[in-house]
């Protein structure tokens, strides 16, 4: 999730655990700890593929959080002397702020290695977009109330707890909506006799009322959109070609295998200016994928391995109104038939 959401989630969790004992210090420590796991982006992993696939690795592991929490508590108690009475609560504050950060990240589509080092599997429920105001705003309101001078500490504690509950209910509702959307999408695919090898769905930007899905099918992939208000017959989808044969000469390269694994098979391969480009189909939309890698170079002898340079074609939020229109009107399609080069 985005940095603001992780900060206010950490603050809200911190205050819920220890706010009635130490006040706003719990909010500030929660904010710091809610940010801590994402500092792994500053680590020199050694290359674009490494940075892409090792992010949300050890720093988001429940086991690492469990091991490091006593050390962080020790450091905190060195700063706040006289709080030994709350040592166990400090432990829960630290552990829960770290682990809820990782858990929330696992609700997005990227992939979070919650069980590292026992497995590198990138857990991804893909029921939340990375930015969702309806999840963040209640948490932000609850945290703001802890700093208002006219709001008593007991009232702020109640408001913060209610805010946490509301955001958690919204999170649960997205899981229910995902089941509904998946049923609509699968019905639409079956109605068109499309044999699906792999399928994934994820919310559209800023909402859980509209969902994007990708279905992999024997040399093609389908991108579709479904609103919670759509009938299965109103689900929009379009087929696109991919050329996995371009990887044949470099299929044993570690970077290629790593990207295939991390994307869980949801990737496309195409030629672009004599480069073989592998695009992660899970994040973005057709022609505007967030993660693309130049994995090969086409030459007279075939395809040679390239630098794995990463480049982005992030969707523009200038078109956010189109997403809103698509929620209510299936005729307002977001599908792109061709890309502008």
């Amino acid at each position: 999730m985005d940095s603001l959401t992780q900060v206010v989630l950490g603050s809200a969790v911190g205050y819920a655990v220890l706010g009635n004992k130490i006040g706003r210090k719990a909010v500030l420590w929660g904010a710091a700890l809610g940010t801590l796991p994402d500092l792994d982006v500053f680590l020199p992993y050694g290359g674009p593929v490494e940075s892409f696939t090792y992010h949300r690795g050890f720093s988001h592991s429940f086991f690492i959080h469990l091991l490091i929490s006593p050390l962080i508590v020790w450091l905190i108690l060195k700063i706040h002397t006289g709080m030994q009475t709350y040592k166990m609560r400090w432990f829960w504050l630290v552990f829960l702020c770290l682990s809820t950060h990782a858990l929330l990240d696992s609700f997005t589509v990227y992939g979070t290695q919650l069980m590292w080092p026992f497995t590198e599997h990138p857990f991804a429920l893909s029921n939340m977009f990375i930015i969702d105001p309806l999840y963040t705003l209640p948490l932000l309101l609850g945290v703001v109330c802890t700093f208002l001078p006219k709001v008593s500490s007991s009232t702020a504690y109640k408001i913060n707890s209610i805010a946490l509950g509301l955001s958690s209910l919204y999170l649960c509702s997205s899981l229910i909506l995902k089941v509904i959307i998946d049923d609509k999408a699968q019905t639409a695919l079956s109605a068109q006799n499309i044999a699906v090898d792999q399928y994934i769905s994820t919310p559209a930007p800023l909402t859980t009322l509209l969902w994007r899905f990708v279905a992999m099918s024997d040399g093609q992939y389908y991108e579709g959109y479904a609103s919670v208000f759509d009938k299965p017959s109103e689900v929009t989808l379009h087929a696109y070609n991919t050329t996995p044969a371009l990887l044949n000469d470099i299929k044993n390269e570690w970077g290629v295998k790593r990207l295939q694994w991390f994307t869980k098979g949801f990737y496309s391969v195409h030629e672009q200016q004599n480069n073989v480009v592998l695009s992660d189909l899970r994040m973005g939309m057709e022609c505007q994928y967030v993660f693309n890698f130049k994995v090969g170079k086409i030459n007279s002898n075939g395809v040679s391995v390239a630098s794995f340079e990463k480049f982005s074609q992030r969707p523009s939020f200038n078109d956010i109104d189109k997403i809103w229109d698509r929620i209510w009107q299936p005729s307002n399609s977001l599908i792109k038939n061709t890309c502008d080069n």
Side-chain angles (χ1 to χ4, degrees):
M1 295 293 282
D2 65 285
S3 298
L4 174 62
T5 300
Q6 293 291 12
V7 166
V8 293
L9 174 62
S11 298
V13 170
Y15 198 75
V17 174
L18 204 49
N20 59 344
K21 300 296 183 183
I22 65 171
R24 295 167 186 161
K25 291 186 181 69
V27 175
L28 298 177
W29 277 107
L33 292 163
T35 303
L36 186 60
D38 278 345
L39 296 183
D40 70 333
V41 298
F42 296 106
L43 295 176
Y45 285 117
V49 175
E50 290 85 349
S51 297
F52 177 56
T53 62
Y54 289 143
H55 174 50
R56 295 192 186 178
F58 76 92
S59 66
H60 287 61
S61 165
F62 290 155
F63 298 106
I64 298 301
H65 297 162
L66 191 63
L67 290 174
I68 200 174
S69 290
L71 174 61
I72 295 176
V73 170
W74 178 79
L75 291 172
I76 290 173
L77 293 179
K78 286 292 183 181
I79 297 171
H80 299 298
T81 56
M83 289 192 179
Q84 292 290 337
T85 305
Y86 307 126
K87 186 175 182 179
M88 185 53 65
R89 284 212 185 191
W90 272 113
F91 170 82
W92 285 114
L93 183 151
V94 173
F95 177 72
L96 289 176
C97 286
L98 294 175
S99 59
T100 53
H101 174 120
L103 185 61
L104 182 60
D105 275 348
S106 73
F107 287 117
T108 67
V109 75
Y110 187 93
T112 307
Q113 298 173 38
L114 299 176
M115 300 299 175
W116 188 96
F118 300 102
T119 174
E120 284 190 309
H121 178 75
F123 292 90
L125 291 175
S126 66
N127 61 296
M128 291 286 286
F129 188 68
I130 56 170
I131 302 173
D132 193 321
L134 288 182
Y135 178 80
T136 306
L137 286 175
L139 296 174
L140 183 60
L141 175 63
V143 170
V144 168
C145 286
T146 67
F147 287 95
L148 296 177
K150 293 185 179 180
V151 177
S152 67
S153 59
S154 60
T155 300
Y157 190 82
K158 290 178 182 177
I159 293 174
N160 182 70
S161 299
I162 292 171
L164 265 173
L166 288 174
S167 288
S168 298
L169 283 174
Y170 179 72
L171 199 63
C172 292
S173 74
S174 69
L175 290 169
I176 296 172
L177 291 177
K178 184 178 177 70
V179 172
I180 295 172
I181 290 294
D182 288 349
D183 182 65
K184 292 176 189 284
Q186 297 286 0
T187 301
L189 289 164
S190 296
Q192 297 191 34
N193 296 316
I194 298 172
V196 175
D197 298 325
Q198 290 179 284
Y199 167 91
I200 192 171
S201 62
T202 187
L206 311 180
T207 182
T208 55
L209 296 179
L210 180 67
W211 293 65
R212 172 181 176 267
F213 64 88
V214 176
M216 309 300 294
S217 177
D218 190 26
Q220 287 185 314
Y221 60 93
Y222 293 82
E223 180 186 50
Y225 290 88
S227 165
V228 295
F229 305 112
D230 284 355
K231 299 175 183 177
S233 60
E234 294 173 325
V235 172
T236 50
L237 68 155
H238 191 273
Y240 300 94
N241 293 321
T242 178
T243 316
L246 288 171
L247 299 178
N248 286 348
D249 292 345
I250 55 173
K251 62 183 179 182
N252 293 321
E253 291 292 331
W254 179 87
V256 171
K257 289 183 174 180
R258 184 76 176 180
L259 289 172
Q260 291 173 323
W261 164 77
F262 192 75
T263 60
K264 300 178 181 178
F266 292 98
Y267 65 89
S268 68
V269 184
H270 62 278
E271 179 184 346
Q272 183 175 321
Q273 298 177 345
N274 291 326
N275 292 301
V276 177
V277 175
L278 188 152
S279 299
D280 187 338
L281 300 177
R282 301 172 303 158
M283 288 166 275
M285 58 191 300
E286 189 61 25
C287 308
Q288 296 177 317
Y289 290 113
V290 178
F291 297 105
N292 307 276
F293 295 85
K294 296 179 181 179
V295 299
K297 190 73 175 177
I298 299 174
N299 51 56
S300 58
N301 296 320
V303 177
S304 58
V305 66
S307 63
F308 290 92
E309 175 188 347
K310 181 178 73 173
F311 64 97
S312 179
Q313 298 169 316
R314 291 177 182 270
S316 172
F317 279 92
N318 294 331
D319 296 331
I320 201 70
D321 58 316
K322 294 180 181 179
I323 292 175
W324 178 256
D325 292 339
R326 175 59 185 84
I327 293 172
W328 313 104
Q329 292 293 335
S331 59
N332 295 323
S333 178
L334 299 174
I335 296 291
K336 292 180 180 290
N337 294 328
T338 59
C339 299
D340 297 325
N341 294 323

